[in-house]
Amino acid sequence: MPIKLNTYLYALSLVLGIVLIWIAPHSPLTDLPQHAAQVALLKDILLGQSKWHTFFNINMFTPYLASYSLATILALFMPVTVAFQLLLTAGYLAFVGMCIKLRQYFEVDSRLDWLFVLPFFGFAYQWGFVSFVLSAPIGLWFILLANRHAQQTNPWHAIKLFFVGFLLLESHGLMFLFAFGVGGLLLVIYSKSIKCFIRGLAPYLILALTFTVIFFINLHLNSKLGLNEYTLKSSNQNAEWWNFISKTANQLVPRLDQGLRYTLVSNESGFSLMMHLPVLILLLASPWLLGLRIHLDRLCPKLIFIATLGVFVFIPDYILGTAYVYQRFALFVIPGYAFLFAANTSHKRNSYNPGLISKVVMLLLPLACWAILGLNIYNANNFRHESEAIDTIIAKLEPNQKALALIFDYDSDANNHSNAYSNYASWYQAEKHGLVDFNFAYFAPMVVRYKPDHLSAIPDELNPYDFDWIKHRGSDYRYFFVRNPAQGEVSADLFKHAPCKPVVFAKKDRWTVYEYKGCNP
């Protein structure tokens, strides 16, 4: 394929990725509404415009400080929804750009750039782990600088490594630990003497000390606030911490299978054998079909892939209140695999196959990327239409009110996602200055957190079948967002203990919003 044509096709693929981010005003990303609600609340508190400011503390030790700060600044000039779409667009382009930068650094064949188009939109993106996916290009940047620093230690490399590492630490703790671990191993292995190792250790020591201080400050604050899930005393830590060796053999195949599937989808049920499997096979087979071969003499590509593999094999899915820990690293599986085809240092080039097979593969790769991006765009557009019902209702609600989400069915048929609607009601908080429970402000890592003496009666995602008017202080809420089960209607006993039952404010499709006006005559 001519180079110019390949460049145009690649640019078109990136445009399709951007279209995916922008096609729905409210993207079907599970946690995004809660993050948008956090930013809207933070902005209002900082500007002195929040009705709820006495309920909350601002947490400057959040591990998501960088993304929240950028989103809040953007939200001063535009809707918070648009602010996050801009950040995700920049994050996507930065992720692809850093993958290409590493590919160039490792002298990998440029035709493998096609393997970097899709991973950003996998598990972590679809679950709305915004800070994590935005930290991914920074993590890759840190690893690139760490490799240079390990091979040629000098003050300038050390300074750049520290500042990028600090930015990464303020972006996402898990990504920081991953990249820091890879960089530290590079320094250990590349150091030719104890003296070289000590000379290169300075940025790592300062970063490790900074991380440790922030970590223990958070532990202290969380313990003081009674947030035991985020302390070392948590009773719900995944048992894999203690017996992962015995479990590894049983979980190895399912976890590696997830590592591949989650490159493209957010759950096993969303993986289509007709669509996703052929694309996944093509991505894995394309380097070999292009005549490239793995060369293991390059240390950094090996470590990136081994570290990613190690995360899927050994790391629990729940650590200190954070769920889906290892699953989110699926976005590095395919890029890490591509980096393994780094040029042999003795020959400086891989094998090259200019024949018919190569031409067919280079024709199929764009088509495969467009097929997955097209499917995702189609689903997101369907979700846009599916969610219009609740968006229309939210637009009619009074601002600055407190609301409770009682979601009997999280699933989106349009987007083939089992949790698309679990946090959707939080768009009311994000866009109309309300306060919606369940609220991420209950979680320790958030930038805005409930004060201990103003805690909501909804400490976690509430099973709506367990809602009790008295226990959950139903009279605190003006609005109740109810999404009916797929089959049937909500029970008439939903508000059975209310002295004066809420009335239907609006009902459309499977959504009903009730309004509680109190018992005034």
Side-chain angles (χ1 to χ4, degrees):
M1 182 182 297
I3 295 177
K4 280 190 176 181
L5 177 59
N6 185 69
T7 301
Y8 292 146
L9 295 179
Y10 199 81
L12 175 59
S13 301
L14 298 183
V15 169
L16 290 177
I18 295 171
V19 169
L20 173 59
I21 294 171
W22 287 86
I23 191 162
H26 294 150
S27 300
L29 312 182
T30 303
D31 286 353
L32 179 59
Q34 290 275 10
H35 292 300
Q38 277 273 307
V39 167
L41 182 57
L42 174 63
K43 183 192 75 170
D44 286 348
I45 291 175
L46 293 176
L47 295 178
Q49 299 173 349
S50 175
K51 178 181 178 180
W52 323 102
H53 69 278
T54 57
F55 291 13
F56 300 101
N57 286 318
I58 294 176
N59 173 28
M60 294 304 296
F61 294 99
T62 172
Y64 314 138
L65 188 61
S67 58
Y68 276 141
S69 298
L70 286 173
T72 303
I73 292 170
L74 290 173
L76 295 173
F77 309 101
M78 63 190 70
V80 66
T81 313
V82 177
F84 273 99
Q85 287 174 313
L86 277 176
L87 285 178
L88 287 169
T89 301
Y92 174 52
L93 296 177
F95 176 78
V96 174
M98 282 308 306
C99 286
I100 293 174
K101 185 72 174 178
L102 280 168
R103 187 269 301 164
Q104 292 171 337
Y105 183 72
F106 299 140
E107 300 180 89
V108 178
D109 194 298
S110 62
R111 293 173 295 173
L112 295 194
D113 287 350
W114 286 102
L115 274 62
F116 308 141
V117 172
L118 298 177
F120 183 86
F121 297 112
F123 182 92
Y125 174 85
Q126 293 179 35
W127 271 90
F129 299 155
V130 177
S131 295
F132 182 83
V133 296
L134 292 179
S135 71
I138 306 173
L140 293 176
W141 188 15
F142 181 89
I143 291 172
L144 174 61
L145 294 177
N147 192 62
R148 290 173 175 168
H149 174 71
Q151 295 188 67
Q152 185 181 4
T153 303
N154 63 54
W156 177 235
H157 283 166
I159 291 170
K160 286 196 295 184
L161 185 64
F162 167 75
F163 280 107
V164 173
F166 185 76
L167 175 62
L168 184 58
L169 177 57
E170 296 298 330
S171 299
H172 203 283
L174 292 175
M175 187 63 70
F176 170 81
L177 291 174
F178 177 86
F180 184 90
V182 172
L185 286 174
L186 287 168
L187 180 64
V188 170
I189 297 172
Y190 272 124
S191 295
K192 298 177 181 179
S193 65
I194 297 295
K195 184 178 179 181
C196 289
F197 175 71
I198 294 174
R199 191 164 58 238
L201 201 57
Y204 290 97
L205 287 177
I206 301 173
L207 287 171
L209 178 62
T210 306
F211 173 84
T212 302
V213 170
I214 293 175
F215 179 76
F216 279 100
I217 288 175
N218 271 301
L219 288 183
H220 173 71
L221 291 175
N222 296 340
S223 179
K224 190 175 179 181
L225 294 172
L227 300 169
N228 294 325
E229 287 296 302
Y230 299 91
T231 69
L232 297 177
K233 298 178 181 179
S234 173
S235 60
N236 293 323
Q237 290 303 315
N238 195 306
E240 289 178 78
W241 275 117
W242 319 115
N243 61 2
F244 69 89
I245 295 178
S246 63
K247 285 192 170 186
T248 296
N250 293 328
Q251 295 187 350
L252 180 61
V253 174
R255 279 177 170 240
L256 294 180
D257 177 64
Q258 287 177 336
L260 293 174
R261 289 173 182 256
Y262 288 164
T263 297
L264 303 177
V265 299
S266 61
N267 53 69
E268 281 87 347
S269 62
F271 190 87
S272 167
L273 295 180
M274 295 295 293
M275 176 70 77
H276 297 102
L277 183 59
V279 171
L280 187 58
I281 292 174
L282 177 64
L283 294 178
L284 295 174
S286 58
W288 303 93
L289 295 175
L290 292 171
L292 308 178
R293 297 295 179 262
I294 291 175
H295 297 290
L296 298 179
D297 60 327
R298 290 291 186 94
L299 176 61
C300 191
K302 281 191 298 184
L303 282 184
I304 294 173
F305 186 75
I306 292 171
T308 305
L309 192 66
V311 166
F312 271 86
V313 173
F314 295 114
I315 300 301
D317 61 4
Y318 181 90
I319 301 175
L320 294 178
T322 301
Y324 301 122
V325 174
Y326 72 82
Q327 293 93 331
R328 61 185 73 198
F329 282 91
L331 86 168
F332 284 153
V333 170
I334 296 298
Y337 172 72
F339 298 151
L340 291 177
F341 293 86
N344 188 306
T345 53
S346 61
H347 296 96
K348 296 296 181 183
R349 286 190 61 84
N350 280 306
S351 300
Y352 182 82
N353 181 2
L356 178 62
I357 294 178
S358 175
K359 293 178 181 178
V360 171
V361 170
M362 290 307 297
L363 176 64
L364 291 177
L365 281 172
L367 295 177
C369 290
W370 298 344
I372 298 300
L373 290 172
L375 176 63
N376 290 347
I377 290 171
Y378 175 79
N379 288 339
N381 189 54
N382 285 344
F383 181 83
R384 177 172 68 88
H385 293 297
E386 182 184 67
S387 59
E388 280 179 352
I390 184 59
D391 288 342
T392 301
I393 296 175
I394 289 176
K396 297 177 181 178
L397 300 177
E398 277 191 38
N400 295 300
Q401 303 300 313
K402 197 171 182 183
L404 176 63
L406 297 170
I407 311 301
F408 286 85
D409 187 3
Y410 298 161
D411 185 60
S412 167
D413 295 332
N415 199 54
N416 195 23
H417 194 309
S418 59
N419 277 276
Y421 286 110
S422 59
N423 296 307
Y424 199 89
S426 293
W427 285 120
Y428 171 71
Q429 177 175 324
E431 297 180 336
K432 304 208 73 171
H433 311 282
L435 185 63
V436 178
D437 284 326
F438 164 69
N439 199 296
F440 269 18
Y442 224 105
F443 289 161
M446 293 299 111
V447 68
V448 181
R449 304 197 295 194
Y450 276 116
K451 293 179 179 178
D453 54 344
H454 286 86
L455 291 177
S456 161
I458 313 296
D460 205 337
E461 289 184 82
L462 174 67
N463 184 337
Y465 292 101
D466 297 333
F467 173 69
D468 181 276
W469 184 270
I470 297 173
K471 176 182 177 182
H472 298 113
R473 304 202 297 262
S475 58
D476 288 354
Y477 301 99
R478 170 78 177 274
Y479 297 119
F480 296 85
F481 290 85
V482 176
R483 188 168 191 257
N484 296 331
Q487 303 294 330
E489 295 288 328
V490 174
S491 169
D493 294 334
L494 180 61
F495 304 114
K496 63 181 178 181
H497 292 139
C500 304
K501 293 187 182 300
V503 298
V504 174
F505 176 88
K507 184 174 183 179
K508 193 169 184 180
D509 294 343
R510 291 171 58 188
W511 287 94
T512 305
V513 173
Y514 295 86
E515 182 180 14
Y516 178 64
K517 298 181 179 180
C519 294
N520 296 325

